Amino acid sequence: MAEGYDAVFVGGGHNALTCAAYLAKAGKRVLVLEARHVAGGGCATEEVAAPGFRHNFHSNFHGIIHWGPVYRDLELERYGARYVWPENQFAHVFPDGRAIVLHRSVERTAERIARFSRADAETFRELAHSYRQVLEEGIIPALFSPPVPPSQELAPLEGSLEGLGLLRHFLSTPNHVARDLFETPEVQTWLGFWVAQLAGTGDVFGLGVNYPVMLAGSLEPYGWGICVGGSNVLAQAMVRCLEDHGGELRLDAPVRRIEVGDGLARAVELENGERIPVGGILVSNLDPRHTFLELVGESELSSEFAHACNRWRYDEMSMFCVYLALEAPVRWRAAGWDEAVESCFAVSLCESLDVLDDNASDCRLGVPPRTPGLFTVHPSLFEPSLCPPGKEACFCEQIAPWDLRDGGPEAWDEAKDGYAETVLERWRAYASGLDDAQIVGRYVASPLDIERRMPSMRHGDWNHGEMTQDQLGVFRPFHEYPPYRTAFENVYLCGSSTHPGGSIGGACGYNAAGAIAADLGIDAWWGAAAASA
């Protein structure tokens, strides 16, 4: 009977699957409702550009999932999620044919930096050591724990000159940090562009904290891995874990309405008219605006809670993506400088951080970047099942505005094909193998297309909400209620709109499971610390 469900989940993204699997392993009867034909949200792998070529949408390389307990606790490797780890992680190429490649080895990377600046190579060595300590002792534990008040979070850094220097960088923008740390524009651009990928741009204050995540996270013993078989394999491993412990998943089951009464969620109504009672708790993988303003309805909310939900902001900078099926792998002109460029899972191109700043300015004006900085991704080099032998499935992306100045979001339908040509011409200046005759097929995704394909990504926002200081930590998604809780006693949030935000790590779902266990007195088999929210 439906009344027997202890937890009903709205949305089947990887955080919902994480939370649901933890509760199912604790003996709870769980139902996950997913609107799409496949679970996993941004962990999606689909054949779109041409038959036989599969592309990962939004989630391409995973590191954070291996930092915390989720991968081990849910035995995801046993359930089929296996990884390959490129030794050459990412590269940045320049118009003059030079490049900088980050290898998982600190020394091999420093040697490459030294070709530009010995001083910057030494700075990199020092940062690799200090950032690894920050990552292991500070950031990873913070990701997989409920957020703490800002004063408590920052206090450990305030007791030393070195700590205050780190804090200043964390509160700054990624581009400012790059210019402060390194002397050569090439090194600044190489690392600054990489760090900016977590939020899409490098000019947001408070995102300097991404440096330890992206730099130390790329180096041994860590690194960003490629999921064998495609990113959706990770999600399917979570589904198998969930179902192995009695949980249920229903696909093609979009929720039309959440019925509430007397401060509780009472039922969910599906688009097909089916009503599923909520006898225990309801957990939403969606953001607060989507969950409460759209599915519950603002008229059902208190004025205080309605204000908190209306305050939530989506990032107006989304992504514009071009997915390609190619006759052969891309060949980079910069391989003459360093052949390792062609064995990286990601290669970016952008002349300078000034260009990246200009891209952000264009987006805020509602204009697609006129000289886009491109981030190109090449997973089939490491996971050949994604395409036929000898060919390549790759894509490129760059920041783009959701709301176009001329015509709004809907104008993307007319503009996207022409802009895709602008993007490809930009890429062709740095590489061969991208001529029309060598393109088997392509799929173009504008910010509007992202929302259409992934309905939970409102405004094409893959983080489910802007990643800025007033929407991070205890403020994500609102400070009026304890983390992962809401104004409704039996309704919880577990998606990327909660701490710590976007990226594939299962941290939001893990932390939400701890909060639920603490509230309901569930025996947290995964450890008492997790339930101390």
Side-chain angles (χ1 to χ4, degrees), residues 24-288:
K25 285 191 72 172
K28 299 304 174 183
R29 188 178 177 201
V30 173
L31 171 66
V32 178
L33 301 169
E34 168 55 42
R36 301 185 73 235
H37 66 283
V38 62
C43 276
T45 307
E46 299 184 23
E47 190 177 277
V48 289
F53 292 81
R54 294 184 302 128
H55 288 87
N56 296 320
F57 287 106
H58 311 297
S59 160
N60 276 273
F61 38 91
H62 303 159
I64 296 172
I65 190 72
H66 304 282
W67 298 353
V70 174
Y71 190 75
R72 298 186 301 273
D73 284 353
L74 301 184
E75 302 178 275
L76 297 180
E77 184 172 358
R78 182 169 75 86
Y79 285 110
R82 298 178 177 85
Y83 282 80
V84 292
W85 305 88
E87 287 303 302
N88 293 304
Q89 290 270 291
F90 70 92
H92 193 96
V93 296
F94 298 97
D96 61 5
R98 295 185 298 168
I100 307 179
V101 176
L102 187 142
H103 190 278
R104 289 178 71 199
S105 161
V106 174
E107 280 308 309
R108 292 186 67 174
T109 304
E111 289 169 4
R112 286 161 164 151
I113 297 172
R115 298 177 74 180
F116 293 82
S117 165
R118 292 189 179 277
D120 283 348
E122 187 56 34
T123 298
F124 180 85
R125 290 187 181 95
E126 294 170 359
L127 288 175
H129 172 74
S130 62
Y131 279 175
R132 177 177 173 180
Q133 185 176 4
V134 170
L135 186 70
E136 293 177 346
E137 297 179 7
I139 291 176
I140 292 176
L143 292 175
F144 292 91
S145 301
V148 299
S151 59
Q152 184 178 337
E153 183 179 38
L154 301 178
L157 296 174
E158 296 176 352
S160 70
L161 194 62
E162 181 184 39
L164 285 172
L166 276 172
L167 178 55
R168 184 174 67 84
H169 279 164
F170 292 172
L171 296 177
S172 187
T173 74
N175 288 356
H176 285 336
V177 175
R179 293 181 176 109
D180 187 34
L181 290 173
F182 300 105
E183 65 178 19
T184 56
E186 292 85 0
V187 177
Q188 294 170 0
T189 304
W190 162 68
L191 197 53
F193 196 94
W194 172 238
V195 171
Q197 294 314 302
L198 275 184
T201 182
D203 66 348
V204 177
F205 283 91
L207 295 186
V209 71
N210 290 345
Y211 268 80
V213 173
M214 299 300 274
L215 191 154
S218 304
L219 300 167
E220 294 173 335
Y222 304 108
W224 303 91
I226 305 295
C227 191
V228 175
S231 291
N232 190 248
V233 171
L234 175 67
Q236 296 310 311
M238 291 178 169
V239 170
R240 284 190 282 275
C241 176
L242 169 69
E243 294 178 338
D244 226 15
H245 292 88
E248 298 178 39
L249 168 68
R250 289 181 59 179
L251 301 174
D252 298 309
V255 172
R256 174 192 295 165
R257 187 169 71 94
I258 298 173
E259 179 185 317
V260 298
D262 299 323
L264 298 172
R266 298 296 186 180
V268 295
E269 180 185 341
L270 303 185
E271 288 286 355
N272 65 8
E274 181 182 356
R275 184 178 181 273
I276 301 174
V278 176
I281 62 171
L282 183 143
V283 187
S284 177
N285 193 69
L286 310 177
D287 70 79

